[in-house]
Amino acid sequence: MNLSSLGIFHTIIGITALSGAIIGFIKYGKINLAQPSGKVYFYATAITSLTALGISKNGGFNAGHVFSLFILVLIAVAYFLSVSKKESKKARYFENFLLSFSFFLSLVPTVNETLTRVPLGHPLAKDIKDPVIGQTLLVIFLLFIAGSVFQFIKQKKENVGIS
């Protein structure tokens, strides 16, 4: 796979971030920054995004770096809403969406890197233009849309006091 030490660290922390998000989605229907899984997602995503800035296949600043910076902004705004707007029911909608969107965006380079590297020696995709990457991202995007609708409905019920 030819990963640098930074690449290996980035991958391990990235998997940790994704795990925190998935646990949050399963347990709470969202990435909940008040829960341990949400905190793991937040901090591991921040570290993963920062370490991504030091990684480049082709040298120089690229689209992956832009994703990393955008994800940092999304989780920072979500954290701000979580901490400073605790009593705002409207802020929960934005917080949920921003965290879910950051998760979706994290999956874009993850899918690309994984499918062009695994299995070793015979990866599932040749390059970023391979249809399997596009199809996988389409499925993930549809899940993101469905999940966002689910979170909106769930948050609306929580906001009016219905469990």
Side-chain angles (χ1 to χ4, degrees):
M1 270 211 259
N2 297 337
L3 291 176
S4 66
S5 296
L6 180 60
I8 292 168
F9 177 74
H10 169 83
T11 301
I12 292 168
I13 299 300
I15 291 169
T16 303
L18 296 177
S19 299
I22 292 167
I23 289 168
F25 288 134
I26 291 168
K27 286 179 87 171
Y28 311 106
K30 63 183 178 180
I31 299 169
N32 187 340
L33 294 179
Q35 298 299 326
S37 61
K39 291 174 184 173
V40 165
Y41 175 75
F42 176 80
Y43 290 111
T45 297
I47 293 167
T48 302
S49 294
L50 290 171
T51 58
L53 297 174
I55 299 171
S56 181
K57 268 188 189 177
N58 305 322
F61 193 76
N62 60 43
H65 297 124
V66 174
F67 267 76
S68 295
L69 292 172
F70 190 52
I71 289 166
L72 279 170
V73 169
L74 292 174
I75 65 170
V77 173
Y79 181 81
F80 169 79
L81 292 172
S82 170
V83 171
S84 67
K85 305 286 185 187
K86 283 186 180 196
E87 303 306 316
S88 172
K89 292 178 180 181
K90 286 183 182 178
R92 299 298 67 81
Y93 292 109
F94 290 104
E95 179 187 338
N96 293 342
F97 178 79
L98 293 173
L99 291 168
S100 292
F101 190 45
S102 71
F103 178 76
F104 167 72
L105 290 180
S106 296
L107 291 175
V108 173
T110 300
V111 165
N112 179 47
E113 289 299 315
T114 301
L115 295 182
T116 57
R117 293 178 187 258
V118 177
L120 293 176
H122 299 289
L124 296 171
K126 292 178 201 138
D127 57 34
I128 195 168
K129 295 176 185 173
D130 197 300
V132 72
I133 291 176
Q135 293 164 355
T136 303
L137 291 175
L138 176 60
V139 169
I140 291 170
F141 179 70
L142 293 174
L143 289 171
F144 163 69
I145 297 295
S148 293
V149 170
F150 168 77
Q151 287 177 338
F152 180 87
I153 292 167
K154 188 173 192 277
Q155 189 63 53
K156 189 173 182 179
K157 288 179 183 177
E158 286 179 20
N159 286 353
V160 293
I162 302 170
S163 305

